[in-house]
PDB file of all heavy atoms in Angstrom:
ATOM      1  N   TYR A  66      67.359  -8.302 -74.557  1.00 98.00           N
ATOM      2  CA  TYR A  66      67.260  -9.621 -73.922  1.00 98.00           C
ATOM      3  C   TYR A  66      67.192  -9.440 -72.410  1.00 98.00           C
ATOM      4  O   TYR A  66      68.118  -8.918 -71.790  1.00 98.00           O
ATOM      5  CB  TYR A  66      68.441 -10.529 -74.283  1.00 98.00           C
ATOM      6  CG  TYR A  66      68.332 -11.844 -73.551  1.00 98.00           C
ATOM      7  CD1 TYR A  66      67.288 -12.729 -73.852  1.00 98.00           C
ATOM      8  CD2 TYR A  66      69.210 -12.196 -72.524  1.00 98.00           C
ATOM      9  CE1 TYR A  66      67.138 -13.926 -73.157  1.00 98.00           C
ATOM     10  CE2 TYR A  66      69.071 -13.385 -71.829  1.00 98.00           C
ATOM     11  CZ  TYR A  66      68.019 -14.239 -72.150  1.00 98.00           C
ATOM     12  OH  TYR A  66      67.866 -15.418 -71.454  1.00 98.00           O
ATOM     13  N   PHE A  67      66.063  -9.881 -71.841  1.00 98.00           N
ATOM     14  CA  PHE A  67      65.846  -9.796 -70.396  1.00 98.00           C
ATOM     15  C   PHE A  67      66.131 -11.160 -69.778  1.00 98.00           C
ATOM     16  O   PHE A  67      65.346 -12.088 -69.948  1.00 98.00           O
ATOM     17  CB  PHE A  67      64.390  -9.426 -70.101  1.00 98.00           C
ATOM     18  CG  PHE A  67      64.010  -8.016 -70.466  1.00 98.00           C
ATOM     19  CD1 PHE A  67      63.525  -7.720 -71.733  1.00 98.00           C
ATOM     20  CD2 PHE A  67      64.093  -6.989 -69.535  1.00 98.00           C
ATOM     21  CE1 PHE A  67      63.141  -6.421 -72.067  1.00 98.00           C
ATOM     22  CE2 PHE A  67      63.713  -5.689 -69.852  1.00 98.00           C
ATOM     23  CZ  PHE A  67      63.236  -5.404 -71.125  1.00 98.00           C
ATOM     24  N   PRO A  68      67.254 -11.330 -69.040  1.00 98.00           N
ATOM     25  CA  PRO A  68      67.491 -12.603 -68.354  1.00 98.00           C
ATOM     26  C   PRO A  68      66.380 -12.885 -67.325  1.00 98.00           C
ATOM     27  O   PRO A  68      65.812 -11.946 -66.751  1.00 98.00           O
ATOM     28  CB  PRO A  68      68.836 -12.385 -67.659  1.00 98.00           C
ATOM     29  CG  PRO A  68      69.479 -11.252 -68.400  1.00 98.00           C
ATOM     30  CD  PRO A  68      68.348 -10.377 -68.845  1.00 98.00           C
ATOM     31  N   LEU A  69      66.100 -14.160 -67.111  1.00 98.00           N
ATOM     32  CA  LEU A  69      65.052 -14.520 -66.147  1.00 98.00           C
ATOM     33  C   LEU A  69      65.440 -14.122 -64.726  1.00 98.00           C
ATOM     34  O   LEU A  69      64.580 -13.913 -63.875  1.00 98.00           O
ATOM     35  CB  LEU A  69      64.770 -16.025 -66.234  1.00 98.00           C
ATOM     36  CG  LEU A  69      63.611 -16.569 -65.403  1.00 98.00           C
ATOM     37  CD1 LEU A  69      62.286 -15.907 -65.781  1.00 98.00           C
ATOM     38  CD2 LEU A  69      63.498 -18.092 -65.578  1.00 98.00           C
ATOM     39  N   ILE A  70      66.754 -14.030 -64.467  1.00 98.00           N
ATOM     40  CA  ILE A  70      67.215 -13.542 -63.160  1.00 98.00           C
ATOM     41  C   ILE A  70      67.597 -12.070 -63.331  1.00 98.00           C
ATOM     42  O   ILE A  70      68.614 -11.756 -63.950  1.00 98.00           O
ATOM     43  CB  ILE A  70      68.435 -14.343 -62.664  1.00 98.00           C
ATOM     44  CG1 ILE A  70      68.087 -15.829 -62.565  1.00 98.00           C
ATOM     45  CG2 ILE A  70      68.899 -13.809 -61.305  1.00 98.00           C
ATOM     46  CD1 ILE A  70      69.280 -16.723 -62.254  1.00 98.00           C
ATOM     47  N   PRO A  71      66.772 -11.145 -62.813  1.00 98.00           N
ATOM     48  CA  PRO A  71      67.065  -9.721 -63.016  1.00 98.00           C
ATOM     49  C   PRO A  71      68.141  -9.232 -62.056  1.00 98.00           C
ATOM     50  O   PRO A  71      68.316  -9.782 -60.974  1.00 98.00           O
ATOM     51  CB  PRO A  71      65.727  -9.039 -62.702  1.00 98.00           C
ATOM     52  CG  PRO A  71      65.085  -9.954 -61.699  1.00 98.00           C
ATOM     53  CD  PRO A  71      65.519 -11.352 -62.054  1.00 98.00           C
ATOM     54  N   SER A  72      68.836  -8.178 -62.485  1.00 98.00           N
ATOM     55  CA  SER A  72      69.819  -7.533 -61.616  1.00 98.00           C
ATOM     56  C   SER A  72      69.306  -6.167 -61.201  1.00 98.00           C
ATOM     57  O   SER A  72      68.718  -5.443 -62.016  1.00 98.00           O
ATOM     58  CB  SER A  72      71.148  -7.375 -62.359  1.00 98.00           C
ATOM     59  OG  SER A  72      71.993  -6.496 -61.625  1.00 98.00           O
ATOM     60  N   ASP A  73      69.536  -5.807 -59.957  1.00 97.00           N
ATOM     61  CA  ASP A  73      69.171  -4.477 -59.458  1.00 97.00           C
ATOM     62  C   ASP A  73      70.408  -3.598 -59.283  1.00 97.00           C
ATOM     63  O   ASP A  73      70.336  -2.539 -58.652  1.00 97.00           O
ATOM     64  CB  ASP A  73      68.423  -4.586 -58.132  1.00 97.00           C
ATOM     65  CG  ASP A  73      67.042  -5.192 -58.317  1.00 97.00           C
ATOM     66  OD1 ASP A  73      66.459  -4.990 -59.399  1.00 97.00           O
ATOM     67  OD2 ASP A  73      66.563  -5.885 -57.407  1.00 97.00           O
ATOM     68  N   THR A  74      71.527  -4.042 -59.839  1.00 95.00           N
ATOM     69  CA  THR A  74      72.773  -3.296 -59.690  1.00 95.00           C
ATOM     70  C   THR A  74      73.200  -2.715 -61.026  1.00 95.00           C
ATOM     71  O   THR A  74      73.496  -3.476 -61.927  1.00 95.00           O
ATOM     72  CB  THR A  74      73.894  -4.218 -59.162  1.00 95.00           C
ATOM     73  OG1 THR A  74      73.426  -4.878 -57.985  1.00 95.00           O
ATOM     74  CG2 THR A  74      75.143  -3.434 -58.846  1.00 95.00           C
ATOM     75  N   PRO A  75      73.237  -1.400 -61.198  1.00 97.00           N
ATOM     76  CA  PRO A  75      72.823  -0.389 -60.222  1.00 97.00           C
ATOM     77  C   PRO A  75      71.302  -0.167 -60.154  1.00 97.00           C
ATOM     78  O   PRO A  75      70.824   0.368 -59.181  1.00 97.00           O
ATOM     79  CB  PRO A  75      73.528   0.880 -60.714  1.00 97.00           C
ATOM     80  CG  PRO A  75      73.726   0.663 -62.182  1.00 97.00           C
ATOM     81  CD  PRO A  75      73.878  -0.821 -62.376  1.00 97.00           C
ATOM     82  N   PHE A  76      70.533  -0.565 -61.162  1.00 98.00           N
ATOM     83  CA  PHE A  76      69.072  -0.485 -61.042  1.00 98.00           C
ATOM     84  C   PHE A  76      68.451  -1.495 -61.994  1.00 98.00           C
ATOM     85  O   PHE A  76      69.108  -1.965 -62.933  1.00 98.00           O
ATOM     86  CB  PHE A  76      68.552   0.932 -61.349  1.00 98.00           C
ATOM     87  CG  PHE A  76      68.770   1.399 -62.769  1.00 98.00           C
ATOM     88  CD1 PHE A  76      67.801   1.190 -63.751  1.00 98.00           C
ATOM     89  CD2 PHE A  76      69.946   2.048 -63.137  1.00 98.00           C
ATOM     90  CE1 PHE A  76      68.013   1.617 -65.062  1.00 98.00           C
ATOM     91  CE2 PHE A  76      70.159   2.486 -64.442  1.00 98.00           C
ATOM     92  CZ  PHE A  76      69.183   2.266 -65.410  1.00 98.00           C
ATOM     93  N   ARG A  77      67.195  -1.858 -61.749  1.00 98.00           N
ATOM     94  CA  ARG A  77      66.506  -2.813 -62.612  1.00 98.00           C
ATOM     95  C   ARG A  77      65.947  -2.093 -63.838  1.00 98.00           C
ATOM     96  O   ARG A  77      65.292  -1.059 -63.707  1.00 98.00           O
ATOM     97  CB  ARG A  77      65.377  -3.511 -61.852  1.00 98.00           C
ATOM     98  CG  ARG A  77      64.795  -4.689 -62.626  1.00 98.00           C
ATOM     99  CD  ARG A  77      63.732  -5.448 -61.848  1.00 98.00           C
ATOM    100  NE  ARG A  77      64.238  -6.000 -60.581  1.00 98.00           N
ATOM    101  CZ  ARG A  77      63.680  -7.014 -59.927  1.00 98.00           C
ATOM    102  NH1 ARG A  77      62.603  -7.616 -60.422  1.00 98.00           N
ATOM    103  NH2 ARG A  77      64.180  -7.415 -58.777  1.00 98.00           N
ATOM    104  N   ALA A  78      66.206  -2.633 -65.005  1.00 98.00           N
ATOM    105  CA  ALA A  78      65.787  -1.980 -66.247  1.00 98.00           C
ATOM    106  C   ALA A  78      64.264  -1.912 -66.333  1.00 98.00           C
ATOM    107  O   ALA A  78      63.570  -2.830 -65.888  1.00 98.00           O
ATOM    108  CB  ALA A  78      66.330  -2.748 -67.447  1.00 98.00           C
ATOM    109  N   PRO A  79      63.728  -0.840 -66.938  1.00 97.00           N
ATOM    110  CA  PRO A  79      62.289  -0.782 -67.208  1.00 97.00           C
ATOM    111  C   PRO A  79      61.881  -1.978 -68.072  1.00 97.00           C
ATOM    112  O   PRO A  79      62.608  -2.346 -68.998  1.00 97.00           O
ATOM    113  CB  PRO A  79      62.126   0.531 -67.993  1.00 97.00           C
ATOM    114  CG  PRO A  79      63.362   1.319 -67.718  1.00 97.00           C
ATOM    115  CD  PRO A  79      64.450   0.335 -67.424  1.00 97.00           C
ATOM    116  N   GLY A  80      60.752  -2.573 -67.753  1.00 97.00           N
ATOM    117  CA  GLY A  80      60.262  -3.711 -68.524  1.00 97.00           C
ATOM    118  C   GLY A  80      60.804  -5.053 -68.058  1.00 97.00           C
ATOM    119  O   GLY A  80      60.457  -6.098 -68.598  1.00 97.00           O
ATOM    120  N   HIS A  81      61.663  -5.031 -67.032  1.00 98.00           N
ATOM    121  CA  HIS A  81      62.308  -6.266 -66.571  1.00 98.00           C
ATOM    122  C   HIS A  81      61.330  -7.097 -65.727  1.00 98.00           C
ATOM    123  O   HIS A  81      60.186  -6.713 -65.513  1.00 98.00           O
ATOM    124  CB  HIS A  81      63.578  -5.918 -65.786  1.00 98.00           C
ATOM    125  CG  HIS A  81      64.684  -6.922 -65.973  1.00 98.00           C
ATOM    126  ND1 HIS A  81      64.466  -8.270 -65.948  1.00 98.00           N
ATOM    127  CD2 HIS A  81      66.023  -6.764 -66.193  1.00 98.00           C
ATOM    128  CE1 HIS A  81      65.625  -8.906 -66.138  1.00 98.00           C
ATOM    129  NE2 HIS A  81      66.589  -8.006 -66.304  1.00 98.00           N
ATOM    130  N   MET A  82      61.822  -8.229 -65.262  1.00 98.00           N
ATOM    131  CA  MET A  82      61.010  -9.156 -64.485  1.00 98.00           C
ATOM    132  C   MET A  82      60.356  -8.433 -63.309  1.00 98.00           C
ATOM    133  O   MET A  82      60.987  -7.571 -62.680  1.00 98.00           O
ATOM    134  CB  MET A  82      61.867 -10.321 -63.963  1.00 98.00           C
ATOM    135  CG  MET A  82      62.601 -11.118 -65.039  1.00 98.00           C
ATOM    136  SD  MET A  82      61.557 -11.843 -66.320  1.00 98.00           S
ATOM    137  CE  MET A  82      62.042 -10.836 -67.736  1.00 98.00           C
ATOM    138  N   ALA A  83      59.103  -8.794 -63.019  1.00 97.00           N
ATOM    139  CA  ALA A  83      58.343  -8.063 -62.003  1.00 97.00           C
ATOM    140  C   ALA A  83      57.757  -8.968 -60.927  1.00 97.00           C
ATOM    141  O   ALA A  83      57.466  -8.508 -59.837  1.00 97.00           O
ATOM    142  CB  ALA A  83      57.217  -7.274 -62.665  1.00 97.00           C
TER     143      ALA A  83
END
Side-chain angles (χ1 to χ4, degrees):
Chain A
Y66 177 67
F67 290 90
L69 186 59
I70 302 173
S72 167
D73 291 329
T74 308
F76 65 91
R77 190 176 301 202
H81 215 316
M82 303 303 111

